[in-house]
Structures are given as structure tokens and as C-alpha cells.
């Protein structure tokens, strides 16, 4: 890169007057890095009242959000059908196969800015790049052509272990949209709390949404014989259906699809505390107060389990237009099933040879139900055990093996292997780091992740839809804590899933992050500062 800077510098000194040349990271530092950027030799100075030209419904929707965001640049904007003003940003829907579903072209010159795209999503991404061009109220002259490498660009948040206010969920969505990510995986149910209102089952709100207290410190690192300590504070809450609808709409306006996760058959202890008849032993159970994997899971033998889950989905589906619905499937111990007469009977009548096949029966039955409602399931990679449900997409988290196996069985996969994609890991080795679950995943490691495993052939590789950062919140009690763990690792992940593989270069990313961290500051993000040591 140094060589490129030198050449650019020499061109500047020798009076190079070509209108556009290669991107100079000092003036353009867009994250994630666009496919192609040419920088011109001047800049556009924007004044107090910018006109955003938008005609169609989609264009107007993007214009409204741009109008809001321009305020952060101290610019007022009005939305109009047309304008001869030079102080204008034109949003224009075109038909350009080269841009695909989400790509855009952005051109800035003396006459203003023009963003062209085939869809509202492309126009939206063009506006996010434009916003990243601002220094004060100026933007360099540029010609940008850009489109994503992967269709699925995700970020996850566990609100079961700790819960965060709707306003924070919206900020989380703002940030992921600003990074051109397009899927928010909302992990809504856990052993330690059920967080979505289900009207037919009021005890989910009264009982499952609360735990009586929470373990203090790390749940797994006590010295032998030392008893766990608890804080004695009741903790919990849930999102009402009205709040959920509002968040889903907010996300859709920013071209983010919210994928709800309702965990089954495991991670269900809070639901069992509310409705103990759904467990193998009948309870009593309590909403979990410490972290880990628990033996009490939904009984796979009782019909009432399936009635309950179908009823839950009957209320969940109308809230989430997403085709994908995540059904969990991870970390389900089979201890209870092995001793439960209902589960044993189910295995006999369904001719299932072991409890892995019983889990597969469970998942396939839920898949059938959700497919009948026009939805597709995603499950964690354990759903491979005992046989994959016919149409399931697999989220590979215990390494890449699950993703590889699923792609070889012609199933779509989303890569989230822990070593690169878990933002609940430590990001530095100093003792000053706030408590984390374990692991060690630096921003550089996230940046270096390659979602398509080399073991896959070309046909199999097409099943890799993308990747996702996962954020489990056992040790993240506050919104600020979440932001510290997520950024800038999510900025690195955004580039992994958006930018061309051959353009990825960590040193270049670090250079652009010098500017990008100022944007994170503008958004009020409590990002981790480790990367600044590399500036
Ligand atoms: C997981 O991290 N248990 C999917
Ligand atoms: Zn059972």
C-alpha cells in the first residue's frame, strides 16, 4: 500500500490533472471496503439545505432515513421529486444487472451526488457510503461501484441471559445497517429468560421472563469446593408484541431482516418453569440462575410439547416477515429423554434407534409445521445429528465441520465458527479486560476469517450463504458492555461478508479504521480501543 500512496503523492506533486484516480485511503475510508472506488481531484462542499431527490416509494423510504442521518453532518435536507439545485442527492432506481440485488453506484461531483441501484437496499447502501465520505460538510469527488460478496451478512444478539431496552436494539440495528449487514438474529428464549410476549401463555410473561437471582462472577472458574455466589436480585423482563413489531419495522426500513430464534428442544428451562408439564419429569423447575447447559429440556414424547410450540409460532410468525425462522437445536442433553416413558414410547412408535434420531424427529416435525406456513428453518449444527431436516439451513458454530457436512448434503449454511465469529470471547490478554466467557478472538482474527472452507468444491461452496458474528450475553450486563465486545469486531466481520475476497488486507483495514472509529464515536458507540495501538 505504501507504494500506492507514494505514487498518488507524486501524481499530486507533478500536477496530475486526471479527473479520477485510484482511491486514496486518506480521503476515502469506507468500511466495509467497496468493490471499486475512484477519487477525483476536487470535493463537493454541501451547504445548509440539501435536496434529496426521490420519486418511488422505495426511494422515498431511503430518502427519509438519509434526511435523518444528514443531521449528524449538520445538514438539513428536504425530499423532492426533482431539483435543478447543485446541492442535491439523487436516488435513482435503475435496471443494471451488474449491481445485483443490493449493489449501487455512487457518483459525487460538482453537481451533487447520484446513487443508482436496482432496489431500495442498494440505494440505502449507497447512502451509507455517501455518509462515510463526509469530512465536515465536504465529500471528495468519487465514482464508486459496489455490491456484496455474500447474501447473508449477520449479527446476533442474545437477550435471554441479559436484556437490553428497545432503544438499544434499534441502535444495534442502525449500526449493523450502517455496516451494510442485513440480518439481525434475535435470540429471544433461553434457560435464564423467555423474552417475547406470547399472549396464549401468560406464565411465559409472569414466570419464564424472570429469574430469582444471577450468579456472580464466572460460572465455571471457581476453585473446587467453593460454592457459587448469587446476587439475590430478581432479574428479567420481556419485549411486548407491540415493541417487537416496532423493532421489526425499524429494521425493515434499514433493509435489515430480523430472524427470531425460539430455542428447542434445549435451552428451555425458563419455559419449563412456567409450564412444567412440557418437561419429561413434570418438574418443578425454575428459570436458571447460572450459566451453562441444563438437562431439563422439552419432552419429545408428549403431544402437548408440540401443541405449545406450534401455538408459540402462531403468535411469533405474524410479527416477523422473515422467511427464515431459527429454531435453535444446540446443546440439548438427552439425559431426560433416555429415562422418560413418553420419549421412549415415541422412539418405539416412530422406530427411532437412538435419542439423536429423536431430536431429529423433533426438529423435522417443527420444520414441517413451519414449512406449511411458508417459512424455512435455520438450526445450529447439532441438527445434523440423527439426520438433517429436509429443507433446513445449518448455522455452523462448533467449528466449520457442520457447515462443510451440510453443504456436502446440498443444504445451505451460514458460517459462525467460534474461533472467528464469537464476540463473547476476550479480545486482549491484559488483566484489565472485563469478564468474558473465555476464548480469545482479536479483531485481526475476525478480519482474517474466510467463510468458504477450502474443502468445498465450487457447487458445495454456493451453499455458503454468508457468515455472522454471535453475541452471547452471560457476562454482558449492560448495553455499553455489549458495544465494547461487539465493536470494532463487527466492523471487521462486515468487511468479511461484504468485500471482495481478493481486496481484503488487514493493514489497509486498520488505516481506514482510523477514520471509522470517529464515526463509531459519532454514533455514540463504546467500542474497544485495542485496534488503536495499530494506528
Ligand atoms: C451456541 O453457541 N450454543 C450456538
Ligand atoms: Zn420426555
Amino acid at each position: 500500500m505504501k507504494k500506492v500512496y507514494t505514487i498518488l503523492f507524486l501524481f499530486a506533486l507533478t500536477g496530475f490533472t486526471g479527473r479520477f484516480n485510484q482511491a486514496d485511503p486518506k480521503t476515502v475510508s469506507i468500511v466495509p471496503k467497496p468493490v471499486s472506488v475512484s477519487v477525483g481531484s476536487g470535493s463537493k462542499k454541501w451547504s445548509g439545505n440539501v435536496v434529496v431527490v426521490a420519486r418511488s416509494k422505495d426511494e422515498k423510504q431511503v430518502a427519509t432515513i438519509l434526511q435523518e442521518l444528514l443531521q449528524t453532518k449538520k445538514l438539513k435536507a428536504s425530499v423532492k421529486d426533482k431539483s435543478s439545485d447543485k446541492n442535491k442527492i439523487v436516488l435513482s432506481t435503475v435496471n443494471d444487472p451488474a449491481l445485483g440485488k443490493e449493489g449501487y453506484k455512487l457518483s459525487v461531483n460538482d453537481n451533487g451526488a447520484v446513487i443508482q441501484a436496482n432496489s431500495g437496499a442498494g440505494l440505502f447502501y449507497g447512502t451509507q457510503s455517501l455518509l462515510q465520505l463526509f469530512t465536515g460538510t465536504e465529500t471528495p469527488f468519487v465514482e464508486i461501484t459496489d455490491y456484496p460478496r455474500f447474501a447473508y451478512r449477520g449479527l446476533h444478539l442474545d437477550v435471554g441471559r441479559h436484556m437490553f431496552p428497545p432503544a438499544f436494539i434499534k441502535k444495534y440495528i442502525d449500526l449493523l445497517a450502517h455496516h451494510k449487514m442485513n440480518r439481525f438474529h434475535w435470540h429471544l428464549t433461553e434457560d435464564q429468560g423467555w423474552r417475547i410476549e406470547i399472549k396464549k401463555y401468560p406464565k411465559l410473561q409472569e414466570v419464564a421472563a424472570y429469574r430469582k437471582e444471577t450468579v456472580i462472577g464466572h460460572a465455571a472458574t471457581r476453585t473446587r469446593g467453593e460454592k457459587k455466589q448469587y446476587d439475590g436480585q430478581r432479574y428479567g423482563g420481556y419485549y411486548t408484541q407491540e415493541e417487537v413489531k416496532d423493532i421489526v419495522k425499524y429494521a425493515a426500513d434499514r433493509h435489515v431482516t430480523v430472524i427470531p430464534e425460539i430455542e428447542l428442544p434445549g435451552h428451555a428451562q425458563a419455559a419449563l418453569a412456567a409450564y412444567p408439564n412440557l418437561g419429561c419429569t413434570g418438574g418443578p423447575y425454575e428459570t436458571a440462575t447460572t450459566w451453562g447447559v441444563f438437562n431439563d429440556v422439552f419432552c419429545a414424547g408428549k403431544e402437548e410439547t408440540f401443541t405449545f410450540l406450534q401455538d408459540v409460532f402462531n403468535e411469533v410468525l405474524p410479527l416477523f416477515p422473515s422467511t427464515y425462522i431459527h429454531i435453535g437445536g444446540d446443546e440439548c442433553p438427552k439425559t431426560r429423554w433416555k429415562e422418560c416413558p413418553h420419549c421412549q414410547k415415541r422412539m418405539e412408535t416412530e422406530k427411532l434407534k437412538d435419542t439423536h434420531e429423536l431430536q431429529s424427529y423433533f426438529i423435522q416435525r417443527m420444520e414441517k409445521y413451519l414449512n406449511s406456513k411458508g417459512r424455512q428453518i435455520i438450526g445450529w449444527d447439532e441438527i445434523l445429528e440423527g439426520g438433517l431436516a429436509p429443507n433446513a439451513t445449518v448455522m455452523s458454530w462448533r467449528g466449520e465441520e457442520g457447515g462443510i457436512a451440510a453443504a456436502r448434503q446440498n443444504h445451505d449454511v451460514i458460517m459462525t465458527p467460534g474461533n472467528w465469529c464469537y464476540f463473547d470471547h476476550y479480545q486482549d490478554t491484559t488483566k484489565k479486560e472485563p469478564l468474558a466467557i473465555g476464548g480469545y478472538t482479536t479483531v485481526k482474527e475476525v478480519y482474517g476469517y474466510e467463510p468458504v472452507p477450502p474443502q468445498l468444491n465450487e457447487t458445495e461452496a454456493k451453499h455458503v450463504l454468508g457468515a455472522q458474528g454471535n453475541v452471547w450475553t452471560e457476562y454482558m450486563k449492560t448495553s455499553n458492555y455489549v458495544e465494547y465486545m461487539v465493536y470494532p469486531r463487527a466492523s471487521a466481520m462486515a468487511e468479511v461478508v461484504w468485500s471482495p475476497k481478493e481486496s481484503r488486507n488487514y493493514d489497509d483495514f486498520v488505516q481506514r479504521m482510523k477514520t471509522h472509529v470517529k464515526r463509531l464515536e459519532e454514533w455514540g458507540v463504546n467500542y474497544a480501543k485495542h485496534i488503536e495501538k495499530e494506528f
Side-chain angles (χ1 to χ4, degrees), residues 1-19:
M1 279 320 289
K2 275 223 176 71
K3 220 180 240 163
V4 178
Y5 290 143
T6 316
I7 292 165
L8 285 170
F9 184 62
L10 285 177
F11 273 143
L13 278 185
T14 53
F16 174 70
T17 51
R19 243 170 65 74

Side-chain angles (χ1 to χ4, degrees), residues 330-331 380 397 422 472:
D330 62 318
E331 299 179 321
W380 298 108
W397 73 279
Y422 269 46
W472 303 101

Side-chain angles (χ1 to χ4, degrees), residues 280 299-301 337 340 342-343:
C280 290
C299 175
W337 290 358
C340 168
H342 305 279
C343 287

Side-chain angles (χ1 to χ4, degrees), residues 278-281 297-302 336-337 340-344 358:
L278 303 176
C280 290
T281 65
V297 302
F298 286 121
C299 175
K302 296 178 184 169
R336 299 286 183 257
W337 290 358
C340 168
H342 305 279
C343 287
Q344 290 303 311
L358 182 57

Side-chain angles (χ1 to χ4, degrees), residues 469-490:
N470 288 342
V471 185
W472 303 101
T473 59
E474 287 92 336
Y475 300 101
M476 303 177 207
K477 290 174 194 285
T478 64
S479 308
N480 252 8
Y481 209 139
V482 170
E483 290 182 355
Y484 179 85
M485 299 302 279
V486 175
Y487 285 94
R489 289 189 284 197

Side-chain angles (χ1 to χ4, degrees), residues 157 159 163-176 184 186 238-240 242-244 246-248 250-251 254 478-480 482-483 523-525:
L157 185 65
V159 295
M163 198 186 161
F164 312 95
F168 176 72
I169 305 295
K170 288 182 177 176
K171 183 181 178 190
Y172 199 78
I173 289 165
D174 276 334
L175 285 164
L176 76 95
F184 171 46
W186 201 3
Y238 61 91
Y239 302 96
T240 65
E242 283 310 306
E243 285 169 333
V244 169
D246 180 49
I247 285 167
V248 169
Y250 187 88
R254 286 148 185 85
T478 64
S479 308
N480 252 8
V482 170
E483 290 182 355
W523 282 99
V525 180

